[in-house]
Amino acid sequence: MTKSIDSTGRAGRNFLLDLLKQKEMGVFLALVAIVAFLVCKTDSFASKDNLFAVSRQIAYVAIVALGIFFVIVTSGIDLSVGSLVCLSGVICALVLQGGHHPLLAVLAGLLTGAVAGAINGLLVSYVGVTSFIVTLGMLSVAKGAVLVLTHGDSVRGSTEQFSTFLDFGKRTFLDGRLSMPVVVLLVLAVICYIVLRYTVFGRRLFAVGGNEQATELSGINVRGIKFFSFVIASVASSIVGILYIFQYNSAQSSAGEGMEMDAIAAAVIGGTSLLGGQGSVVGILIGAIMMGVIRNGLVLMKVDAYWQKSIIGAIIVLAAVIDILRSKRK
Amino acid sequence: MMKKAWGSVWVSLLLVGILGLMGCGQKTETKKEGANSKQSAKQEAKADAGKGKKTFVMVPKVVMPYYEPCFEGFKDAAAKYGAEVEYLPPNEMKLPLQVKVIEDLIARKVDGIAISALDDIGLKQVINDAMAAGIKVVTFDAPAPSSNALSYIGTINEAAGAAAAEEMIKTMGGEGELAILQGGLVSSNLNQRFEGFKKTIETKAPNIKIVAREDTEGKIDTTVAKVEALLQVHPNLKAFFGVSATDAPGAAIVIEEQKKVGKILIGGFDDTPDTLSAIRKGTVSFALAQQTYKMGWLSVVKLCEAIEGKTIEKEINTGLLVVTKENVDSYMSEMKANVEKSDAAK
């Protein structure tokens, strides 16, 4: 992101060269190569149905990754996002199942994330516990809360409000090409892009991650910024929790499990530094698309189930290595 | 100084919150038991008169709807035989947590433990310790054959896989392409089911072709994504078979959304509420219900026998029930009635 601000400063000289210098370009080219390979090697990758399904799978991870990015860029980490996806979905579904208005249910779902995120933020920035521990604890608390509420079952809908809610969410766009989660992702990505690039809050987020002490000394409210980054990450998870209900017709108690790792991986593949201060919305989208396409591609290529996990892991590490090599060469 | 003081205030607030949450969880548990214990109150009173009530504890792998009928059977049998029961699941499906539960029970000197073992080798030591401390231990649902546990009461997985294959062959009319979903490739009970399934398909239905086997990681998100991809790459697919509990309901979500109900058949293990609701809708053709109620009931019976000094069988196969649209609403009460009938006949 800081890099791309530099390049816009010199914009107009050689647009193409600038574009190639973008930090995300390496991963983007890799993604293009993988997609091209899958399009040539399989009949089904580029089919309308498959793209619909894959784009939806990607959207879930990408939204969580966009949220977690706000935390990572301040050099924190949020491990609780996956189980907050689940808890928010369960709360939303329970409110629907109680016969309340869908809007109220959505609000309850979002509020779940907001409260959990506020607790995370409070403990990290005002009490000073490391984010790793706080959010690891929250992961467990949220998972536990789901078990208390559901006993491990799912929350299925039978009320009229539940059907109204599902009807709304199952809507598709562009002649059945785009699903609701993808549309929500696109809207959120634009908002995040604007916030990170053009607002004071966005610039300060990068500053905190770049050099926390210097930022604090210059009179910026570092604690407040960190606090809000956790709230944003958790609310993004809540959005995904709610979107999952549209697809599953229910809130599933295993939804979102392990999603924190996918989100972190998507961010890192897209050039986000876990040390903070670096990364971009475009990079995250590329990272999430890469993960989704590879997962889908492995099944389409009929790769043996025993191999799939290792291949995904190797690709994540490879992306990180390439990234380091690129930045070193500069 | 001030800063520190505030820090500890926050931490204690957090702790209080967590304790509160745990308290809530326990309250709901006891409430549930309270509702059920009414019917058994009479029997309990009878047993109380005999004094020295035994305490038996059921330790499942984790909180799951699957284990609820197990504990129901455990509780009902305990009411009949005059024992106190407890239900102590680990918070997460993790071996160290289950080991810790058993260690606590050894310290408390309970009379008997029925455990669904998360791992064989990992639990060997602690189960042996419990036996050495005079606590009778049986395994139910998932065995720990390396340990000194007195018995395994549950499904023999290879046989279960074979029985599942027979049902799948019937459903598919003996031909077509079949994709297999399995939640985790390391779990030995699932692998045994798969082996039994595959062998039977290969020998009895050569016209059924297993075209894929995917790892669904026991997660709904992964299951749905894999099913969506499989439908793309195998356009002539006729059926899915789910080896673990989350597979069939996950496949059902996709098949319903793509309006392929009836065109693509689904069968699978375990009678979770999601699977049962999919059977009612006709999306899932059949589920193989393990006799969970029977596992719980027999655990108590065998623990009692062990305390009386009788030797008990090393392995007790509780068998399977096939659940279809026809018996989906009655199979559970039939299972219970059968267990009680055969117990009374003894």
Side-chain angles (χ1 to χ4, degrees), chain B residues 209-257:
Chain B
K209 202 177 153 217
I210 298 176
V211 291
R213 179 196 185 200
E214 289 290 340
D215 180 5
T216 58
E217 299 167 8
K219 292 190 270 191
I220 190 78
D221 317 349
T222 316
T223 310
V224 165
K226 293 269 165 94
V227 170
E228 283 174 337
L230 284 171
L231 286 173
Q232 289 301 320
V233 73
H234 300 290
N236 298 321
L237 196 70
K238 189 167 179 185
F240 283 100
F241 181 76
V243 180
S244 37
T246 44
D247 297 330
I253 288 172
V254 182
I255 298 302
E256 274 172 33
E257 186 185 76

Short mmCIF file of all heavy atoms in Angstrom, two decimals, chain B residues 209-257:
data_model
loop_
_atom_site.label_atom_id
_atom_site.label_comp_id
_atom_site.label_asym_id
_atom_site.label_seq_id
_atom_site.Cartn_x
_atom_site.Cartn_y
_atom_site.Cartn_z
N LYS B 209 -18.76 -47.69 -10.02
CA LYS B 209 -17.39 -47.22 -10.13
C LYS B 209 -17.17 -46.11 -9.11
O LYS B 209 -17.87 -45.10 -9.13
CB LYS B 209 -17.15 -46.71 -11.55
CG LYS B 209 -15.69 -46.69 -11.92
CD LYS B 209 -15.51 -46.25 -13.37
CE LYS B 209 -14.16 -45.60 -13.52
NZ LYS B 209 -14.15 -44.48 -14.42
N ILE B 210 -16.21 -46.31 -8.22
CA ILE B 210 -15.88 -45.24 -7.27
C ILE B 210 -14.95 -44.26 -8.00
O ILE B 210 -13.78 -44.57 -8.25
CB ILE B 210 -15.21 -45.81 -6.01
CG1 ILE B 210 -16.19 -46.75 -5.28
CG2 ILE B 210 -14.77 -44.68 -5.07
CD1 ILE B 210 -15.64 -47.44 -4.07
N VAL B 211 -15.46 -43.10 -8.36
CA VAL B 211 -14.68 -42.19 -9.21
C VAL B 211 -13.87 -41.18 -8.40
O VAL B 211 -12.96 -40.55 -8.93
CB VAL B 211 -15.57 -41.42 -10.22
CG1 VAL B 211 -16.12 -42.37 -11.26
CG2 VAL B 211 -16.69 -40.68 -9.50
N ALA B 212 -14.21 -41.00 -7.13
CA ALA B 212 -13.44 -40.03 -6.34
C ALA B 212 -13.59 -40.33 -4.86
O ALA B 212 -14.56 -40.94 -4.42
CB ALA B 212 -13.94 -38.62 -6.62
N ARG B 213 -12.57 -39.92 -4.09
CA ARG B 213 -12.66 -39.96 -2.63
C ARG B 213 -12.02 -38.67 -2.14
O ARG B 213 -10.85 -38.41 -2.41
CB ARG B 213 -11.91 -41.16 -2.10
CG ARG B 213 -11.94 -41.27 -0.58
CD ARG B 213 -10.86 -42.24 -0.13
NE ARG B 213 -10.90 -42.47 1.31
CZ ARG B 213 -9.86 -42.95 1.98
NH1 ARG B 213 -8.74 -43.25 1.34
NH2 ARG B 213 -9.93 -43.14 3.27
N GLU B 214 -12.82 -37.82 -1.51
CA GLU B 214 -12.31 -36.51 -1.10
C GLU B 214 -12.34 -36.37 0.42
O GLU B 214 -13.24 -36.88 1.09
CB GLU B 214 -13.14 -35.39 -1.73
CG GLU B 214 -12.94 -35.22 -3.22
CD GLU B 214 -11.57 -34.66 -3.59
OE1 GLU B 214 -10.90 -34.06 -2.73
OE2 GLU B 214 -11.16 -34.85 -4.76
N ASP B 215 -11.37 -35.61 0.94
CA ASP B 215 -11.31 -35.32 2.37
C ASP B 215 -12.12 -34.06 2.66
O ASP B 215 -11.82 -32.99 2.14
CB ASP B 215 -9.85 -35.10 2.76
CG ASP B 215 -9.69 -34.79 4.24
OD1 ASP B 215 -10.70 -34.85 4.98
OD2 ASP B 215 -8.56 -34.50 4.67
N THR B 216 -13.16 -34.19 3.46
CA THR B 216 -14.02 -33.04 3.75
C THR B 216 -13.66 -32.39 5.09
O THR B 216 -14.29 -31.43 5.52
CB THR B 216 -15.49 -33.45 3.80
OG1 THR B 216 -15.64 -34.46 4.81
CG2 THR B 216 -15.93 -34.02 2.48
N GLU B 217 -12.67 -32.92 5.76
CA GLU B 217 -12.14 -32.36 7.02
C GLU B 217 -13.18 -32.24 8.13
O GLU B 217 -12.96 -31.53 9.11
CB GLU B 217 -11.51 -30.99 6.76
CG GLU B 217 -10.35 -31.05 5.78
CD GLU B 217 -9.92 -29.67 5.27
OE1 GLU B 217 -10.43 -28.67 5.80
OE2 GLU B 217 -9.10 -29.61 4.35
N GLY B 218 -14.33 -32.89 7.97
CA GLY B 218 -15.36 -32.79 8.99
C GLY B 218 -15.94 -31.39 9.13
O GLY B 218 -16.57 -31.07 10.13
N LYS B 219 -15.73 -30.56 8.11
CA LYS B 219 -16.21 -29.18 8.17
C LYS B 219 -17.23 -28.95 7.07
O LYS B 219 -17.05 -29.38 5.94
CB LYS B 219 -15.05 -28.20 7.97
CG LYS B 219 -14.07 -28.20 9.12
CD LYS B 219 -13.10 -27.05 8.99
CE LYS B 219 -11.89 -27.45 8.20
NZ LYS B 219 -10.80 -26.49 8.24
N ILE B 220 -18.26 -28.23 7.41
CA ILE B 220 -19.33 -28.00 6.44
C ILE B 220 -18.82 -27.21 5.23
O ILE B 220 -19.17 -27.50 4.09
CB ILE B 220 -20.54 -27.31 7.13
CG1 ILE B 220 -21.74 -27.28 6.20
CG2 ILE B 220 -20.21 -25.91 7.57
CD1 ILE B 220 -22.46 -28.57 6.12
N ASP B 221 -17.97 -26.20 5.47
CA ASP B 221 -17.50 -25.35 4.37
C ASP B 221 -16.73 -26.17 3.34
O ASP B 221 -16.95 -26.06 2.14
CB ASP B 221 -16.58 -24.23 4.89
CG ASP B 221 -17.09 -23.60 6.16
OD1 ASP B 221 -18.25 -23.87 6.52
OD2 ASP B 221 -16.35 -22.84 6.80
N THR B 222 -15.81 -27.01 3.85
CA THR B 222 -15.00 -27.83 2.96
C THR B 222 -15.88 -28.84 2.23
O THR B 222 -15.71 -29.06 1.03
CB THR B 222 -13.92 -28.58 3.76
OG1 THR B 222 -13.33 -27.66 4.67
CG2 THR B 222 -12.85 -29.13 2.85
N THR B 223 -16.82 -29.44 2.96
CA THR B 223 -17.69 -30.45 2.35
C THR B 223 -18.44 -29.85 1.17
O THR B 223 -18.46 -30.42 0.07
CB THR B 223 -18.71 -30.97 3.39
OG1 THR B 223 -18.01 -31.33 4.58
CG2 THR B 223 -19.46 -32.16 2.86
N VAL B 224 -19.04 -28.69 1.39
CA VAL B 224 -19.83 -28.06 0.34
C VAL B 224 -18.95 -27.72 -0.86
O VAL B 224 -19.30 -28.01 -2.01
CB VAL B 224 -20.53 -26.79 0.89
CG1 VAL B 224 -21.04 -25.92 -0.23
CG2 VAL B 224 -21.67 -27.18 1.82
N ALA B 225 -17.77 -27.17 -0.61
CA ALA B 225 -16.87 -26.79 -1.71
C ALA B 225 -16.45 -28.02 -2.52
O ALA B 225 -16.42 -27.99 -3.75
CB ALA B 225 -15.65 -26.06 -1.16
N LYS B 226 -16.15 -29.11 -1.82
CA LYS B 226 -15.71 -30.32 -2.52
C LYS B 226 -16.85 -30.92 -3.34
O LYS B 226 -16.64 -31.37 -4.47
CB LYS B 226 -15.20 -31.36 -1.50
CG LYS B 226 -13.92 -30.93 -0.78
CD LYS B 226 -12.69 -31.41 -1.52
CE LYS B 226 -11.42 -30.73 -1.07
NZ LYS B 226 -10.67 -31.43 -0.04
N VAL B 227 -18.03 -30.92 -2.77
CA VAL B 227 -19.18 -31.49 -3.51
C VAL B 227 -19.45 -30.65 -4.75
O VAL B 227 -19.70 -31.18 -5.84
CB VAL B 227 -20.42 -31.56 -2.59
CG1 VAL B 227 -21.67 -31.90 -3.40
CG2 VAL B 227 -20.22 -32.61 -1.51
N GLU B 228 -19.38 -29.33 -4.61
CA GLU B 228 -19.61 -28.45 -5.77
C GLU B 228 -18.60 -28.76 -6.88
O GLU B 228 -18.96 -28.84 -8.06
CB GLU B 228 -19.51 -26.98 -5.34
CG GLU B 228 -20.75 -26.50 -4.61
CD GLU B 228 -20.64 -25.09 -4.05
OE1 GLU B 228 -19.50 -24.62 -3.81
OE2 GLU B 228 -21.67 -24.45 -3.83
N ALA B 229 -17.35 -28.96 -6.49
CA ALA B 229 -16.32 -29.24 -7.50
C ALA B 229 -16.52 -30.62 -8.11
O ALA B 229 -16.38 -30.80 -9.33
CB ALA B 229 -14.94 -29.13 -6.87
N LEU B 230 -16.87 -31.62 -7.27
CA LEU B 230 -17.05 -32.98 -7.78
C LEU B 230 -18.17 -33.04 -8.81
O LEU B 230 -18.09 -33.77 -9.80
CB LEU B 230 -17.34 -33.94 -6.62
CG LEU B 230 -16.14 -34.34 -5.77
CD1 LEU B 230 -16.59 -35.11 -4.54
CD2 LEU B 230 -15.17 -35.19 -6.58
N LEU B 231 -19.23 -32.27 -8.56
CA LEU B 231 -20.34 -32.26 -9.51
C LEU B 231 -19.90 -31.72 -10.86
O LEU B 231 -20.42 -32.10 -11.90
CB LEU B 231 -21.50 -31.42 -8.95
CG LEU B 231 -22.28 -32.05 -7.80
CD1 LEU B 231 -23.27 -31.08 -7.22
CD2 LEU B 231 -22.99 -33.31 -8.28
N GLN B 232 -18.93 -30.80 -10.84
CA GLN B 232 -18.43 -30.25 -12.08
C GLN B 232 -17.61 -31.27 -12.86
O GLN B 232 -17.75 -31.41 -14.07
CB GLN B 232 -17.53 -29.03 -11.80
CG GLN B 232 -18.28 -27.82 -11.32
CD GLN B 232 -19.30 -27.37 -12.32
OE1 GLN B 232 -19.05 -27.39 -13.51
NE2 GLN B 232 -20.47 -26.98 -11.84
N VAL B 233 -16.73 -31.96 -12.14
CA VAL B 233 -15.76 -32.78 -12.84
C VAL B 233 -16.32 -34.16 -13.21
O VAL B 233 -15.80 -34.82 -14.09
CB VAL B 233 -14.45 -32.86 -12.01
CG1 VAL B 233 -14.62 -33.75 -10.80
CG2 VAL B 233 -13.29 -33.32 -12.85
N HIS B 234 -17.40 -34.57 -12.54
CA HIS B 234 -18.01 -35.87 -12.87
C HIS B 234 -19.47 -35.65 -13.25
O HIS B 234 -20.37 -35.88 -12.44
CB HIS B 234 -17.92 -36.82 -11.67
CG HIS B 234 -16.53 -37.10 -11.24
ND1 HIS B 234 -15.65 -37.86 -11.99
CD2 HIS B 234 -15.83 -36.71 -10.15
CE1 HIS B 234 -14.48 -37.93 -11.37
NE2 HIS B 234 -14.56 -37.24 -10.25
N PRO B 235 -19.72 -35.25 -14.48
CA PRO B 235 -21.10 -34.92 -14.88
C PRO B 235 -22.04 -36.12 -14.85
O PRO B 235 -23.24 -35.94 -14.76
CB PRO B 235 -20.94 -34.38 -16.31
CG PRO B 235 -19.59 -34.80 -16.76
CD PRO B 235 -18.75 -34.99 -15.55
N ASN B 236 -21.49 -37.34 -14.88
CA ASN B 236 -22.37 -38.52 -14.86
C ASN B 236 -22.52 -39.13 -13.47
O ASN B 236 -22.99 -40.26 -13.34
CB ASN B 236 -21.83 -39.59 -15.81
CG ASN B 236 -21.80 -39.10 -17.23
OD1 ASN B 236 -22.71 -38.39 -17.67
ND2 ASN B 236 -20.72 -39.41 -17.94
N LEU B 237 -22.11 -38.38 -12.48
CA LEU B 237 -22.15 -38.92 -11.12
C LEU B 237 -23.57 -39.30 -10.73
O LEU B 237 -24.51 -38.57 -10.99
CB LEU B 237 -21.62 -37.85 -10.15
CG LEU B 237 -21.23 -38.37 -8.78
CD1 LEU B 237 -19.97 -39.22 -8.90
CD2 LEU B 237 -20.96 -37.21 -7.83
N LYS B 238 -23.69 -40.47 -10.09
CA LYS B 238 -25.02 -40.93 -9.70
C LYS B 238 -25.26 -40.77 -8.20
O LYS B 238 -26.39 -40.58 -7.77
CB LYS B 238 -25.19 -42.40 -10.09
CG LYS B 238 -26.60 -42.92 -9.94
CD LYS B 238 -26.73 -44.26 -10.63
CE LYS B 238 -28.14 -44.82 -10.49
NZ LYS B 238 -28.21 -46.17 -11.05
N ALA B 239 -24.19 -40.87 -7.41
CA ALA B 239 -24.42 -40.84 -5.96
C ALA B 239 -23.19 -40.41 -5.17
O ALA B 239 -22.06 -40.53 -5.64
CB ALA B 239 -24.87 -42.22 -5.49
N PHE B 240 -23.49 -39.89 -3.97
CA PHE B 240 -22.44 -39.61 -2.99
C PHE B 240 -22.62 -40.55 -1.82
O PHE B 240 -23.75 -40.85 -1.42
CB PHE B 240 -22.58 -38.18 -2.45
CG PHE B 240 -22.10 -37.12 -3.38
CD1 PHE B 240 -22.99 -36.40 -4.17
CD2 PHE B 240 -20.74 -36.82 -3.47
CE1 PHE B 240 -22.55 -35.41 -5.03
CE2 PHE B 240 -20.29 -35.83 -4.33
CZ PHE B 240 -21.20 -35.13 -5.11
N PHE B 241 -21.48 -40.99 -1.26
CA PHE B 241 -21.58 -41.69 0.02
C PHE B 241 -20.72 -40.98 1.05
O PHE B 241 -19.55 -40.67 0.79
CB PHE B 241 -21.13 -43.15 -0.10
CG PHE B 241 -21.26 -43.88 1.20
CD1 PHE B 241 -22.50 -44.30 1.65
CD2 PHE B 241 -20.15 -44.09 2.02
CE1 PHE B 241 -22.64 -44.93 2.87
CE2 PHE B 241 -20.28 -44.72 3.25
CZ PHE B 241 -21.54 -45.14 3.67
N GLY B 242 -21.30 -40.67 2.21
CA GLY B 242 -20.59 -39.94 3.25
C GLY B 242 -20.14 -40.87 4.36
O GLY B 242 -20.95 -41.51 5.01
N VAL B 243 -18.83 -40.95 4.57
CA VAL B 243 -18.28 -41.86 5.58
C VAL B 243 -18.42 -41.28 6.99
O VAL B 243 -18.59 -41.99 7.96
CB VAL B 243 -16.80 -42.18 5.28
CG1 VAL B 243 -16.23 -43.13 6.31
CG2 VAL B 243 -16.66 -42.77 3.89
N SER B 244 -18.34 -39.95 7.09
CA SER B 244 -18.49 -39.34 8.43
C SER B 244 -19.76 -38.51 8.50
O SER B 244 -20.38 -38.19 7.49
CB SER B 244 -17.26 -38.52 8.78
OG SER B 244 -16.75 -37.86 7.66
N ALA B 245 -20.10 -38.12 9.72
CA ALA B 245 -21.44 -37.58 9.98
C ALA B 245 -21.77 -36.29 9.24
O ALA B 245 -22.93 -36.05 8.90
CB ALA B 245 -21.61 -37.35 11.48
N THR B 246 -20.77 -35.44 8.96
CA THR B 246 -21.08 -34.15 8.33
C THR B 246 -21.20 -34.25 6.81
O THR B 246 -21.60 -33.28 6.18
CB THR B 246 -19.98 -33.12 8.65
OG1 THR B 246 -18.72 -33.75 8.49
CG2 THR B 246 -20.11 -32.57 10.04
N ASP B 247 -20.86 -35.39 6.24
CA ASP B 247 -20.77 -35.48 4.78
C ASP B 247 -22.12 -35.48 4.07
O ASP B 247 -22.34 -34.70 3.14
CB ASP B 247 -19.98 -36.73 4.38
CG ASP B 247 -18.55 -36.67 4.89
OD1 ASP B 247 -18.03 -35.56 5.01
OD2 ASP B 247 -17.98 -37.73 5.17
N ALA B 248 -23.01 -36.36 4.51
CA ALA B 248 -24.31 -36.46 3.83
C ALA B 248 -25.09 -35.13 3.92
O ALA B 248 -25.59 -34.65 2.90
CB ALA B 248 -25.12 -37.62 4.38
N PRO B 249 -25.20 -34.51 5.10
CA PRO B 249 -25.93 -33.24 5.13
C PRO B 249 -25.25 -32.14 4.31
O PRO B 249 -25.93 -31.30 3.72
CB PRO B 249 -25.97 -32.87 6.62
CG PRO B 249 -25.02 -33.76 7.30
CD PRO B 249 -24.83 -34.97 6.45
N GLY B 250 -23.91 -32.16 4.25
CA GLY B 250 -23.20 -31.17 3.43
C GLY B 250 -23.53 -31.35 1.96
O GLY B 250 -23.83 -30.39 1.24
N ALA B 251 -23.50 -32.61 1.49
CA ALA B 251 -23.84 -32.89 0.10
C ALA B 251 -25.29 -32.50 -0.17
O ALA B 251 -25.62 -31.97 -1.23
CB ALA B 251 -23.62 -34.38 -0.20
N ALA B 252 -26.16 -32.73 0.83
CA ALA B 252 -27.59 -32.43 0.65
C ALA B 252 -27.81 -30.94 0.38
O ALA B 252 -28.65 -30.57 -0.45
CB ALA B 252 -28.37 -32.86 1.89
N ILE B 253 -27.04 -30.08 1.05
CA ILE B 253 -27.17 -28.63 0.84
C ILE B 253 -26.95 -28.29 -0.64
O ILE B 253 -27.72 -27.55 -1.25
CB ILE B 253 -26.16 -27.86 1.73
CG1 ILE B 253 -26.60 -27.92 3.19
CG2 ILE B 253 -26.01 -26.41 1.27
CD1 ILE B 253 -25.59 -27.37 4.17
N VAL B 254 -25.90 -28.87 -1.22
CA VAL B 254 -25.56 -28.56 -2.61
C VAL B 254 -26.60 -29.14 -3.57
O VAL B 254 -27.04 -28.48 -4.51
CB VAL B 254 -24.16 -29.10 -2.96
CG1 VAL B 254 -23.78 -28.73 -4.38
CG2 VAL B 254 -23.13 -28.57 -1.98
N ILE B 255 -26.98 -30.39 -3.32
CA ILE B 255 -27.92 -31.06 -4.22
C ILE B 255 -29.27 -30.34 -4.23
O ILE B 255 -29.91 -30.18 -5.28
CB ILE B 255 -28.10 -32.55 -3.80
CG1 ILE B 255 -26.77 -33.29 -3.91
CG2 ILE B 255 -29.18 -33.23 -4.62
CD1 ILE B 255 -26.15 -33.29 -5.28
N GLU B 256 -29.69 -29.86 -3.07
CA GLU B 256 -30.95 -29.11 -3.01
C GLU B 256 -30.82 -27.80 -3.76
O GLU B 256 -31.70 -27.41 -4.53
CB GLU B 256 -31.34 -28.84 -1.55
CG GLU B 256 -32.13 -29.97 -0.93
CD GLU B 256 -32.33 -29.79 0.57
OE1 GLU B 256 -32.45 -28.63 1.02
OE2 GLU B 256 -32.35 -30.80 1.28
N GLU B 257 -29.70 -27.10 -3.55
CA GLU B 257 -29.53 -25.80 -4.20
C GLU B 257 -29.50 -25.96 -5.72
O GLU B 257 -30.06 -25.16 -6.46
CB GLU B 257 -28.25 -25.12 -3.72
CG GLU B 257 -28.12 -23.71 -4.27
CD GLU B 257 -26.81 -23.06 -3.90
OE1 GLU B 257 -25.77 -23.42 -4.51
OE2 GLU B 257 -26.80 -22.22 -3.01
#
